[in-house]
Each structure stands twice: as structure tokens, then as C-alpha cells.
Amino acid sequence: MIINYSDQEVIKGKKSIFLAGPTPRGENAISWRTEACQTLKNLDFDGIIYVPEYSTWKPKEDYVDQAMWEREALTSATVILFWVPRKLPDMPAFTTNVEFGYWLHSGKVIYGRPDDASKIKYLDWLYQTDYHQKPYTDLESLLKASIELANIINDEKIQEILPLKERVIMKK
């Protein structure tokens, strides 16, 4: 498993999961992504985890640089996992709402939130309408399902490419 943080160059071309959702804003706040990375490691995920936070877990310094890194990683990701533990006013997740709507139709979104998350009714409805699934309500189940989805999507991509030994060379 490789963890690719937003203060590093985006690693491309491998099976991957982007951990989308709110980022804690205080220096003393612990990110939910710490637990997610540890759980993915314990589940033996063998791909890249895109973490839109610095490797030092300090708050971001350059907004445009951060936004561009996220866009590149989101585009490269096999699966975009949205975990929305929204708490007002400390974890509003306003950017998460925009990203969720933007990427929902990509076909690579998986979504969850704890039962006590605030203001998530519309996200729930969109996900259920477009994906015909209920949101996951615990992080570990969401992470397990994201690994399964990443494996399925990755296997489908591999099958789309005809192996060299099976290609027929046309003669002129």
C-alpha cells in the first residue's frame, strides 16, 4: 500500500482510492483519514491511497496548489470514497458537497457517513437515486466496500486492454 499525500507528486497508473470528505481545520484536530489509512493497511489494500492532506498532517498552505493536486488525484483515482462525518461548526464539509456532486456521475463514487452526521439528507438522496444503494454508516464497512469496488473497476480496465499475445496483426 502506498499513501500519496497532497504535498507529494500524484502517483498515477495504479489501482487507487481517494479519501474524499471534510478535513479538520484545527492543528489539534485528528483527521478521520488517519484511521482510514490504518484500516486499509490492516485490510491489506494493495494500491495507492490518495490523502488530500500534507504528510505532516498540518493544515494546507497553498489553496490553489492543494486544489490542483486534488483534481489530478481525483481524476486518477480508481475509486473516490466519500466519508462525511459532518459536524457543525467544526467540520462543515462545504467543499465536500461540491466535490460529491461533481464526481457523482463518474461511476467511481462510494459514499458513507456516520448516523450522527449533520445535514446529509440530500447527499443520501443523491447517492441512493444514482447508485441504488444506501450510504454506509460505519467507516470500516465503507473501506472494505471501496477495496472491492477498486478491485472490480481495476480488473475491468485490465480486461479492456487486449493482451499483446492475443492481438492479430493485420497485413497490408
Side-chain angles (χ1 to χ4, degrees):
M1 180 177 95
I2 300 168
I3 300 177
N4 192 185
Y5 297 97
S6 64
D7 57 349
Q8 302 167 338
E9 187 175 324
V10 174
I11 301 168
K12 297 178 183 176
K14 297 183 179 184
K15 175 175 54 178
S16 56
I17 299 171
F18 186 103
L19 300 181
T23 300
R25 296 296 179 217
E27 282 214 25
N28 297 325
I30 297 172
S31 175
W32 62 270
R33 292 183 181 99
T34 305
E35 177 187 347
C37 288
Q38 185 59 53
T39 302
L40 286 165
K41 181 179 178 183
N42 294 344
L43 294 170
D44 295 323
F45 179 62
D46 61 348
I48 299 166
I49 303 170
Y50 294 121
V51 175
E53 297 186 49
Y54 288 176
S55 58
T56 59
W57 298 98
K58 301 270 187 218
K60 63 186 174 189
E61 295 171 12
D62 182 326
Y63 182 81
V64 172
D65 181 61
Q66 177 73 22
M68 292 303 293
W69 183 93
E70 289 185 27
R71 187 166 185 114
E72 187 176 354
L74 284 160
T75 301
S76 299
T78 307
V79 169
I80 303 171
L81 175 152
F82 280 91
W83 178 245
V84 188
R86 186 187 326 270
K87 296 280 186 223
L88 299 173
D90 299 328
M91 280 253 265
F94 297 139
T95 302
T96 299
N97 286 349
V98 174
E99 288 175 334
F100 185 83
Y102 187 90
W103 291 101
L104 187 65
H105 296 291
S106 68
K108 59 183 185 177
V109 166
I110 191 162
Y111 162 68
R113 51 38 175 199
D115 286 329
D116 63 348
S118 302
K119 307 283 185 185
I120 43 73
K121 191 184 297 186
Y122 188 60
L123 297 179
D124 287 0
W125 179 80
L126 282 174
Y127 186 69
Q128 288 177 47
T129 299
D130 286 10
Y131 283 76
H132 310 290
Q133 295 182 49
K134 290 186 182 267
Y136 291 84
T137 57
D138 70 279
L139 184 56
E140 186 171 351
S141 295
L142 177 64
L143 292 165
K144 285 178 181 176
S146 69
I147 291 172
E148 290 174 23
L149 182 59
N151 288 334
I152 290 168
I153 292 173
N154 190 60
D155 289 348
E156 287 173 357
K157 283 182 183 175
I158 290 170
Q159 289 175 9
E160 287 176 10
I161 301 169
L162 189 61
L164 188 58
K165 65 183 178 187
E166 293 180 26
R167 296 180 192 175
V168 175
I169 298 174
M170 298 182 72
K171 296 180 182 179
K172 291 183 181 181

